[in-house]
């Protein structure tokens, strides 16, 4: 009886542990989903703010906002393209690793540009703009190069596969259209006659005499009667 209670208690504990584990997993997934949505919403709001500043604020402040907007757009597009492509082509993992290193420089530059947005010294800001512009162009140029190389590689694979598929379809279509042939088939041998016909033919040949006996000679009135042979 005590063994039964021990088994029941063990099952109860097991169910409690599994329930707690499932609850933690569900809560964790929900938290990650919520964080992802919050991050996307914050990113969207910040992009709209930068776009508004780029058009509304003239001078160095507006150009700083424009640099940040271009940097963020290029890096985000490259990241999405590489992550989607590496799932189908593992050889792009090295490109994704290079982008992660480039992304570190991008985040550093974005943070510096964000701090300069509130810089009150416009003269100093204007003096820093050429160097900031050059760094932004180098980072976005490298990101764009990686993104387009990954897209060209995927397009090349798709083109090669389409060429191979087209050749196979052309060969199959040609085989389907070639329904005539020049090969001459020999005439089939004659079928043997039925056994009943063979038996009837054999019976008929058996009843037929081998040599037809001669018919009796006709006699005429002017012929003499043959005399009996003499016995002497």
């Amino acid at each position: 009886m005590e063994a039964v209670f021990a088994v029941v208690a063990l099952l109860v504990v097991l169910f409690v542990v599994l329930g707690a584990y499932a609850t933690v997993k569900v809560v964790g997934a929900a938290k990650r989903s919520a964080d992802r949505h919050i991050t996307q919403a914050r990113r969207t709001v910040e992009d709209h703010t930068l776009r508004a500043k780029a058009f509304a604020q003239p001078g160095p402040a507006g150009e700083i906002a424009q640099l940040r907007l271009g940097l963020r757009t290029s890096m985000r597009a490259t990241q999405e393209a590489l992550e989607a492509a590496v799932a189908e082509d593992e050889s792009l993992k090295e490109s994704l690793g290079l982008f992660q290193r480039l992304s570190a420089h991008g985040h550093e530059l974005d943070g510096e540009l964000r701090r300069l947005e509130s810089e009150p010294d416009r003269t100093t800001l204007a003096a820093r703009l050429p160097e900031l512009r050059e760094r932004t162009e180098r980072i976005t140029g490298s990101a764009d190069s990686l993104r387009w190389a990954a897209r060209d590689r995927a397009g090349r694979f798709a083109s090669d596969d389409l060429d191979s598929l087209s050749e196979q379809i052309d060969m199959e279509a040609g085989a389907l259209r070639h329904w005539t042939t020049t090969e001459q088939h020999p005439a089939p041998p004659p079928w043997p006659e039925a056994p009943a016909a063979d038996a009837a033919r054999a019976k008929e040949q058996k009843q037929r005499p081998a040599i037809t006996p001669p018919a009796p000679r006709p006699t005429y009135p002017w012929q003499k009667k043959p005399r009996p042979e003499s016995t002497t």
Side-chain angles (χ1 to χ4, degrees), residues 39-231:
T39 302
Q40 291 177 351
R42 184 185 299 115
R43 183 187 303 162
T44 301
V45 171
E46 193 169 1
D47 287 347
H48 284 296
T49 303
L50 289 174
R51 191 172 289 107
K53 289 181 178 180
F55 286 101
Q57 295 181 354
E63 188 167 355
I64 290 292
Q66 185 65 40
L67 290 177
R68 285 196 67 198
L69 183 61
L71 175 66
R72 293 160 60 90
T73 302
S74 176
M75 299 297 287
R76 187 181 307 127
T78 303
Q79 182 179 8
E80 293 175 354
L82 289 177
E83 289 178 350
V86 77
E88 300 178 358
D89 187 1
E90 293 186 355
S91 63
L92 290 174
K93 286 184 177 180
E94 184 176 354
S95 299
L96 186 59
L98 291 175
F99 172 76
Q100 290 173 353
R101 293 173 56 188
L102 181 65
S103 183
H105 292 278
H107 283 297
E108 181 181 357
L109 177 60
D110 184 64
E112 186 175 352
L113 291 172
R114 183 175 62 252
R115 290 188 296 271
L116 290 174
E117 286 181 351
S118 58
E119 174 61 41
D121 189 353
R122 301 302 178 184
T123 303
T124 303
L125 184 60
R128 294 283 310 276
L129 270 178
E131 185 265 336
L132 295 172
R133 189 185 303 112
E134 191 268 340
R135 287 174 59 190
T136 304
E137 291 175 354
R138 289 182 60 185
I139 294 175
T140 56
S142 297
D144 295 343
S145 180
L146 279 176
R147 182 174 69 254
W148 283 109
R151 290 176 178 175
D152 291 343
R153 181 179 179 86
R156 180 59 181 173
F157 283 164
S159 178
D160 291 344
D161 183 68
L162 181 59
D163 291 342
S164 176
L165 179 61
S166 298
E167 292 178 1
Q168 295 177 10
I169 291 175
D170 291 341
M171 293 176 60
E172 181 66 18
L176 291 175
R177 291 191 181 96
H178 189 65
W179 56 77
T180 60
T181 178
T182 57
E183 182 181 359
Q184 299 293 333
H185 297 283
W191 289 97
E193 297 183 0
D198 294 342
R201 184 178 294 103
K203 183 178 180 181
E204 181 181 354
Q205 291 177 355
K206 185 176 180 181
Q207 292 176 355
R208 182 184 301 169
I211 300 177
T212 303
R217 295 181 179 179
T219 58
Y220 301 98
W222 59 83
Q223 290 181 339
K224 295 181 180 180
K225 292 182 180 180
R227 290 183 300 177
E229 296 182 357
S230 174
T231 56

